[in-house]
Amino acid sequence: MKTELDEGQGQKVGSRMRLSGRVFGVELSVEEMVTERIPPRRKVWESTGAPKLLVIGHYRMGFELSPHGNGSMLRVFIEYALPESGLALWLGRLFGQRYARWCTRQMVDDTVKNFEASLTTQRSI
């Protein structure tokens, strides 16, 4: 997928991002906008316009990071609608929930990698 960012770089409320690409020969695209951001604790973004996706329609997703004991607790979420009609609706009914789980798992894994890289850098200083 190709990612295009506006001047806000996805780092402030109102920033816009566009993702596009091909999967199994099908052209996919979605535009997103940041709707909430409280660094480093919370960020929420949602699709805008008419997303061209295979298994989900409009969505809202984000994360919350909070202190927990000697560490942090991460909560990742996605709320989505099924596509409106056709093959995408059928695929959404079959795979939408699995895709949503995959998306949130990717966010968790990326966060863990980011924190691990940060710890490694701090230890080497």
Side-chain angles (χ1 to χ4, degrees):
M1 293 291 270
K2 176 183 172 186
T3 303
E4 300 171 48
L5 302 170
D6 68 2
E7 64 280 349
Q9 301 290 300
Q11 299 298 310
K12 61 182 182 180
V13 172
S15 291
R16 294 186 176 270
M17 297 134 313
R18 184 173 197 284
L19 293 86
S20 60
R22 297 179 80 77
V23 174
F24 304 116
V26 177
E27 186 88 23
L28 302 178
S29 65
V30 64
E31 293 187 25
E32 302 174 333
M33 182 174 69
V34 177
T35 58
E36 296 178 49
R37 187 163 189 266
I38 305 169
R41 296 179 305 171
R42 180 174 169 86
K43 183 175 178 181
V44 179
W45 59 97
E46 61 187 56
S47 60
T48 62
K52 295 179 185 172
L53 301 169
L54 282 179
V55 297
I56 64 171
H58 286 281
Y59 60 85
R60 179 177 177 267
M61 63 189 307
F63 68 86
E64 293 176 343
L65 194 59
S66 59
H68 186 75
N70 290 332
S72 299
M73 178 169 295
L74 173 66
R75 183 178 86 89
V76 176
F77 61 89
I78 184 169
E79 301 161 357
Y80 65 93
L82 291 174
E84 294 184 10
S85 63
L87 179 62
L89 174 58
W90 183 80
L91 290 171
R93 286 182 177 147
L94 285 175
F95 301 112
Q97 190 173 29
R98 283 185 226 153
Y99 178 73
R101 251 190 239 118
W102 177 83
C103 287
T104 55
R105 172 54 50 199
Q106 293 299 310
M107 290 174 63
V108 169
D109 291 349
D110 288 348
T111 301
V112 169
K113 286 177 193 171
N114 184 43
F115 276 98
E116 286 174 346
S118 176
L119 287 173
T120 301
T121 301
Q122 288 176 9
R123 286 183 191 141
S124 66
I125 292 177

